[in-house]
Amino acid sequence: MTDLKIFSGKANRALSQQICEYLGVPLGDISLGNFPDGETSCKINEDIRGRDVYLLQPTCPPVNDNLFQLLVMIDSCKRASAERITAVMPYFGYARQDRKDEGRVPITAKLVANLITRAGADRVLTMDLHAAQIQGFFDVPVDHLYAAPVLNEYFLSLGIPMEEIVIVSPDEGSIKRALGHAKRIGGSVAIIDKRRMSAEKTIQANILGGPVAGKVALMFDDMISTAGSIKGAANVLHENGVKEIHVGVSHAVLCGNAMNNLREANLASLICTNSIPQRADQMPPNTRVLSVAPLLGEAIKRIHRNESVSGLFK
């Protein structure tokens, strides 16, 4: 691992430190800041010529600041003659803008992929993309990780009887994810019929699949932003007699009216990962944050050694 260097942006330095502790390597020395006019400044404070460099920076809020900081870090490493540069993005912002769903709108996820590639990244390591096809937007290799094993391990540790579990998909687009969790955890599967009225408003009216009355609902999604969909799905489940609801997500963005929506959802617990930094005073009291540092650290080690990353999920 002597040729491996890991540097962290400002977005999630705590996760970067945990990854370095897992790998047994020091966190790289980098200076990041702003010039008086607000422009981003960056300097690599150690020699990286011929090194395998990993830059950890989720593009979480403030999205544009964190994204541009990543681009500047990539350019700095490229001009310092790094052998290979991997952009490690536990959370990929702009992922929901992955298609033209109406006229005269951009496909911003493709634009961001182009920016990262043209800046000089040789490959990308990310986790739970909102749309898996975003991998195809990059002209460099993309290693796409899943937080599902981390979430499954936690829920299995609760010891809930399998016959009481119902795995709930909050919408039709998450059916494959729900089936994957059901395969590992067990239980029946139910699907919430969700209709999106606008970017901020959705309507949930029906439950498709198995009965939920008297059962413990485990609801999984890739992210929570305003929590409007979670609130709507939880209301439908409560109306149909569910015993309690636990929600597991990879990315807790929690913006807008998220806190009020989560309180009104009456959840037994919210389980998320530390792909995005979380502050205790900004989270509901029944929240548990799980670390994905071992998962990302193992993926980085395998990439560095030219070993299989997909083997992590077999």
Side-chain angles (χ1 to χ4, degrees):
M1 308 292 283
T2 55
D3 292 333
L4 173 67
K5 286 289 185 180
I6 298 178
F7 295 93
S8 176
K10 290 185 175 182
N12 199 344
R13 190 173 177 87
L15 176 58
S16 302
Q17 190 63 58
Q18 291 179 24
I19 292 172
C20 287
E21 291 173 0
Y22 176 85
L23 293 172
V25 299
L27 187 60
D29 186 8
I30 185 172
S31 296
L32 294 164
N34 296 94
F35 293 106
D37 60 356
E39 295 177 357
T40 300
S41 65
C42 174
K43 182 180 180 182
I44 310 294
N45 296 321
E46 53 186 284
D47 180 27
I48 59 171
R49 184 179 294 272
R51 299 296 187 93
D52 189 13
V53 175
Y54 296 80
L55 305 175
L56 191 136
Q57 179 82 331
T59 50
C60 51
V63 181
N64 295 336
D65 290 347
N66 288 332
L67 173 59
F68 196 79
Q69 191 176 92
L70 174 63
L71 298 177
V72 172
M73 291 165 63
I74 292 172
D75 189 68
S76 297
C77 292
K78 180 180 179 182
R79 296 179 187 280
S81 301
E83 176 68 22
R84 182 173 65 176
I85 303 169
T86 301
V88 183
M89 307 172 68
Y91 170 70
F92 183 88
Y94 284 111
R96 284 172 290 180
Q97 299 183 45
D98 63 315
R99 65 195 185 283
K100 286 189 68 172
D101 54 356
E102 57 181 314
R104 299 176 298 282
V105 298
I107 304 178
T108 320
K110 171 61 175 172
L111 172 62
V112 171
N114 287 343
L115 289 171
I116 293 170
T117 304
R118 292 301 297 269
D122 296 297
R123 66 186 308 127
V124 172
L125 174 61
T126 188
M127 186 175 75
D128 281 304
L129 289 168
H130 185 69
Q133 66 265 23
I134 292 175
Q135 296 174 78
F137 292 175
F138 287 90
D139 294 325
V140 296
V142 176
D143 291 294
H144 187 202
L145 305 182
Y146 301 92
V150 178
L151 296 171
N152 290 341
E153 183 180 357
Y154 173 80
F155 283 113
L156 286 170
S157 71
L158 298 180
I160 304 171
M162 188 181 301
E163 61 274 11
E164 293 185 12
I165 295 176
V166 56
I167 306 296
V168 178
S169 172
D171 53 47
E172 294 87 343
S174 299
I175 295 175
K176 185 176 180 180
R177 178 181 293 105
L179 292 173
H181 286 287
K183 182 178 179 181
R184 300 297 182 183
I185 299 174
S188 58
V189 176
I191 304 160
I192 303 295
D193 178 18
K194 184 180 84 169
R195 313 291 173 88
R196 180 167 292 280
M197 310 305 293
S198 68
E200 295 82 21
K201 185 179 179 181
T202 58
I203 295 177
Q204 294 85 1
N206 304 304
I207 297 179
L208 310 176
V212 299
K215 293 199 173 187
V216 176
L218 306 183
M219 184 157 44
F220 295 94
D221 210 345
D222 63 308
M223 65 184 296
I224 290 182
S225 52
T226 63
S229 296
I230 294 297
K231 173 188 171 183
N235 289 341
V236 174
L237 290 171
H238 284 304
E239 290 170 3
N240 284 269
V242 75
K243 184 178 178 181
E244 59 185 41
I245 303 171
H246 301 267
V247 173
V249 297
S250 302
H251 314 298
V253 181
L254 301 184
C255 57
N257 201 35
M259 293 300 293
N260 288 333
N261 286 335
L262 287 174
R263 280 192 290 266
E264 294 174 6
N266 192 22
L267 304 178
S269 70
L270 170 64
I271 312 302
C272 64
T273 76
N274 61 345
S275 64
I276 296 174
Q278 306 295 340
R279 283 175 45 186
D281 60 339
Q282 295 179 339
M283 301 289 289
N286 55 349
T287 301
R288 176 76 178 272
V289 180
L290 306 178
S291 179
V292 289
L295 177 64
L296 289 167
E298 186 63 27
I300 289 173
K301 181 169 69 174
R302 292 183 179 218
I303 293 170
H304 178 65
R305 294 177 175 177
N306 295 316
E307 297 174 352
S308 171
V309 175
S310 60
L312 286 170
F313 304 101
K314 291 182 179 179

